[in-house]
Amino acid sequence: MKELWKNKAGRIWVIVTAAVLVLGILINILASTQFFDMVCVFLGEPQVKLLGEEKSDYIKEFTTKEESLANGNKVSKEICEEGFVLLKNKDGALPLKPAETRISVFGKNSVDMAIGGSGSGGSVGKEAVSIFDSLTASGFTFNQTLVDFYKDKDASGAGRERNTSDLNTGSALALTEDFVGETSIDKYTEAVWGSCQEFKDAALIVITRIGGEGFDLPRSATDHILKLRPAEKALIEKVKTLDFGKVILVLNTPATLELKEINADDGVDAILWTGFAGGNGMSAFGEILKGKTLTGVEFSPSGKTVDTWAANFMRNPAWENFGAALGGDAYTRGTGAVAQKAYFVDYEEGVYVGYRFYETAHAQSNKNMGAGAGAYTFNYDDEVVYPFGYGLSYTKFAWEIQNKSEIAGKALTANTSLTFRVKVTNTGEYPGRDVVQLYVAPPYKGAGGIEKPAKVLVGFAKTKLLLKDASETLEITVSSPYEFASYDYKDANANGFKGYEAESGNYSFYISNNAHNKDDKAHDGAPLDPITCTVAAPGIKYEKDPATGTTVVNQYTDQEKGFNSDEELGSILSRANWTGTWPARRTAAEKKIDDRLEWLSALTNPKSNPNRPAQNDAMPATGKSHGVKFSELKGLDYKNQLWEKFLDQLTVKEMNALVNKGAFKTMPVSRLGVPQTIAADGPVGWCNFLGGTSIYDTCVYPCQVVISSTWNIERLYDMGKAIGNEGLVGDINNGGTPYTGWYAPGLNIHRTPFGGRNFEYYSEDALLSGKLTAAIVKGAASKGVYTDMKHFALNDQETHRGGVLTWATEQSMREIYLKAFEIAVKTAKAGADGVKVMGMMSSFNRIGERWIGGDYRLLTTILRGEWGFEGLVICDFNTISHLIVKDMVYAGGDINLEMTGVRVYKPKSGSAADVTVFRQACKNILYTIVNSNAMRGEFKMTMPTWQILMFITDAVLAAGFAVWGFFVIRKIFSRHRTKIEVQS
């Protein structure tokens, strides 16, 4: 070694070899242990090899990626055919006749339309059918000069400051014109305007807004991005002067916009909302313009709004307490670099969200709203442009309630079921579909009583495609008054009861074409008169959940300090005194908490604090040899005792892996026959936004707002089934391993139009969200895919979502924010085609001071106990300090969505409580897997390809360094011998 080190070549070999050896050993150890899961996500999972013929309970309708993708694209187009909403159609401006229509398409974003949002619900790097592709396919001709102008950034400007493919960068966006990226009117040349002369039959003006994970839409105290921007207004005004035959606004936005002036402007003939259409959805655009599919079948738009399009978003009662743009939303202590902050959001509007507010404000005799300088007198036609549930058609429909006499005056009891039969007849010239909506107006007792919206959606149904003069009778069933019961969380009516109740009085049911019965010019005749039923005194109290028989009591009210969901709220909006209870921003004094330092410290430096009730846990058996194979559990009831024998066989180490290694997969237990599964985001289909190798060549479906605008349960089932079919084809590069867990759909509520992720949530309404989710869950489950519905719960804004303290009344939680999830769970489980298992994803935020994913009340008492949920609960991506895994698993959470191996909690083998809760989590995980498409027969796991290549690289490098060393050493010793011989 002395001679080796003296020699320059020898020193180089020793240093390089040692460095590479140390680095290689470190990389091998970390890649194979601590970061194994993370590397697998990016470079590929372990290989799965079936031992024998594939055996599955689920029928694989497609065998190739190409086939399943084509099916997904077909379903996407059908969704958009029914989901695009015609908002305005002056004098029958639409449909157009392609042979007679030459079109100029305006708007910088026309050449860069948003197809989806950013983040886990995004569609990164996917090619999409453009508006121009769709126009061409439908036989229209368009102005190519305009297209070229918009594509030329030097001529027309750079476009949007951020595109939706940019992940989590939106928080830096200011309220600037760059957000929308519209071309300034002074950039248009005479040549550009002149090119329109040959294409003047119709002008399309594209307006785009984006949305994404990690940011809410920009606003200030006096302005916001959901108003038309100056450049957009200037473009519209200019186009109106160019003597086009028709001017049509195309809204490429998942959010509602303020359109009162445009709707009233006779210079704009039609407004068509497309939302985010996904990869193939814009194929439907040209068809809707001409009212005919590519195969020649005539049809009409049938989409309906899923949010209220208000005239002034600043008059929304949630405006003052949303996001961060209006002067602060944090508890603070100190100033400058040493300041401590804990962010909060106040749901002071209570149950008056979306149309519930607008319909209630209209119903009240007191029209005074707002407070201080923001006070105003409410007039519905001034405040609402398009009601919830609104949408135009090219045809007309007549309705007839066929069993009105059976229902009118009926006395309702706790279990009374009502079925409304409505005959719908197409009385117009075009084939079309219609949506019948059912609302209930409950009795409001006045000041001091239970807060109740004036109208609540309780059912809906959509017809098939009806030809001229054709009819269909729809049935809408309300199973019991529980479906419209109020949640009295504080015994407001002083009847000695807290919980769900239907108070005595008259309940009026409205068969309606939107929440307001406002004429949408698609229906013949006046709105139908309401049908009134009664609840006799003293009313109906639901002490137990009707579906499970579980006693229901307050979980977020009357608790110890720090565990009430509403204890930090100021006044809560009441229809008895709108102005006196109007939501207000907190004062500086209300945000200073210098006198509560311990509380703030606990929020900013969270420690584990499980809130599972005390139990006498006995140490469960582990590592036993009962000989029970995993496949024997398939189809068994959750409570079957064979489950306990199987769980006895798990070791603590295996339990730890199943719970803690859950990033985009579930872990195998090969010795017991438990397969590894693949899981992926998100609401627009199978999407691994982190760039993993398992998810590829899959469909990008329209965003959830477009999907919900179909109001079609059958169409949602079709989408779920299409996603399930893609799941069955799976990863063809890894033995056809199916995609099994889907981190979707999203069920949070459009509390305001500014939610950055509203595009991946359905609606402002809980019932519509829940019913549609149940359909998509059933469709996916029919192919063995389990859905992780998200984000459970009250994750309705992106600003400070990582731990924001959400303050809300238990009534608003129960009736709106939790209700969507409740309906989805119960509806999906119900019926002969009920889903056996499903999943849920908890959210980042807190309810009050308690992280939702570590709250026993929500994950166990309500979800599993009251609602009867059976399946797994996964936390949102564990990258934040307050997502404490011990709290999660003690609360009833099951999978830690984590890939670094750092943010974990390993069960202590000597702790009966630890082993008990981990065992229960494993049961939930395994129960979900065994009833999924992952069960394909006997298998064995082999190394992932990257690990094999890593070991081959190790061997090659080792051999190379050995050969190099051999020649270096030989040369040194050869010289050494020569030197000795010369000296001798």
Side-chain angles (χ1 to χ4, degrees), residues 6-231:
K6 284 181 180 180
N7 184 276
K8 182 178 180 181
R11 285 199 305 275
I12 292 173
W13 176 76
V14 169
I15 292 171
V16 173
T17 301
V20 172
L21 180 64
V22 170
L23 183 62
I25 291 173
L26 183 63
I27 290 173
N28 275 260
I29 291 174
L30 291 177
S32 299
T33 56
Q34 181 79 16
F35 296 107
F36 180 78
D37 297 322
M38 181 186 293
V39 178
C40 284
V41 167
F42 292 104
L43 299 182
E45 298 288 347
Q47 299 288 296
V48 180
K49 184 176 181 181
L50 285 177
L51 304 177
E53 186 179 351
E54 180 174 351
K55 298 177 182 178
S56 176
D57 293 337
Y58 302 100
I59 298 173
K60 186 182 290 187
E61 297 181 49
F62 307 101
T63 57
T64 68
K65 285 281 189 180
E66 293 77 12
E67 291 173 341
S68 63
L69 174 57
N71 179 64
N73 283 334
K74 174 179 175 291
V75 170
S76 291
K77 179 169 170 286
E78 291 170 348
I79 288 170
C80 289
E81 287 173 349
E82 292 191 43
F84 290 174
V85 182
L86 185 60
L87 295 171
K88 180 179 180 180
N89 196 25
K90 182 172 72 75
D91 299 329
L94 296 178
L96 304 173
K97 296 180 179 179
E100 302 172 10
T101 308
R102 294 166 299 172
I103 296 175
S104 289
V105 183
F106 292 93
K108 176 71 175 179
N109 290 302
S110 65
V111 299
D112 185 24
M113 291 182 73
I115 68 170
S118 65
S120 63
S123 46
V124 178
K126 300 290 187 179
E127 293 296 326
V129 173
S130 73
I131 190 172
F132 305 104
D133 296 331
S134 188
L135 290 173
T136 299
S138 292
F140 293 100
T141 56
F142 56 85
N143 184 350
Q144 185 63 42
T145 299
L146 268 177
V147 177
D148 296 338
F149 168 68
Y150 289 128
K151 286 184 176 180
D152 185 345
K153 293 184 178 181
D154 292 331
S156 59
R160 294 195 295 272
E161 182 175 307
R162 298 287 192 276
N163 202 343
T164 51
S165 62
D166 294 317
L167 178 62
N168 285 345
T169 55
S171 56
L173 292 173
L175 187 58
T176 66
E177 298 305 295
D178 289 337
F179 188 94
V180 300
E182 189 52 78
T183 298
S184 174
I185 202 73
D186 59 15
K187 289 184 178 292
Y188 290 84
T189 65
E190 289 302 318
V192 172
W193 294 125
S195 70
C196 301
Q197 291 299 315
E198 297 181 20
F199 299 89
K200 292 190 69 174
D201 297 315
L204 305 182
I205 305 174
V206 175
I207 303 294
T208 296
R209 294 293 184 273
I210 63 172
E213 184 172 359
F215 69 97
D216 291 314
L217 302 186
R219 65 195 185 117
S220 70
T222 57
D223 196 10
H224 59 75
I225 206 66
L226 298 180
K227 295 180 180 180
L228 293 179
R229 309 312 300 164

Side-chain angles (χ1 to χ4, degrees), residues 478-597:
V478 180
S479 63
S480 77
Y482 177 81
E483 296 194 21
F484 50 83
S486 302
Y487 191 83
D488 187 356
Y489 70 111
K490 58 181 181 180
D491 193 17
N493 58 10
N495 67 351
F497 178 75
K498 296 180 181 180
Y500 287 105
E501 59 181 297
E503 290 188 295
S504 61
N506 293 331
Y507 288 77
S508 297
F509 293 89
Y510 291 81
I511 300 292
S512 222
N513 49 36
N514 55 67
H516 194 63
N517 264 343
K518 185 175 182 178
D519 179 21
D520 67 6
K521 299 180 181 177
H523 293 79
D524 289 336
L528 299 173
D529 292 331
I531 302 174
T532 300
C533 300
T534 60
V535 171
I540 302 169
K541 301 182 182 71
Y542 290 96
E543 297 182 359
K544 297 180 182 295
D545 186 288
T548 64
T550 304
T551 299
V552 177
V553 297
N554 281 342
Q555 297 297 323
Y556 291 92
T557 307
D558 304 325
Q559 306 296 319
E560 62 181 284
K561 182 69 174 173
F563 290 94
N564 292 309
S565 63
D566 62 348
E567 65 187 38
E568 286 286 314
L569 291 180
S571 60
I572 298 160
L573 189 61
S574 170
R575 65 190 286 186
N577 182 7
W578 291 117
T579 56
T581 58
W582 195 260
R585 302 174 222 165
R586 295 203 197 190
T587 65
E590 289 172 328
K591 292 183 286 189
K592 283 285 185 183
I593 54 171
D594 290 54
D595 59 335
R596 301 165 68 189
L597 304 186

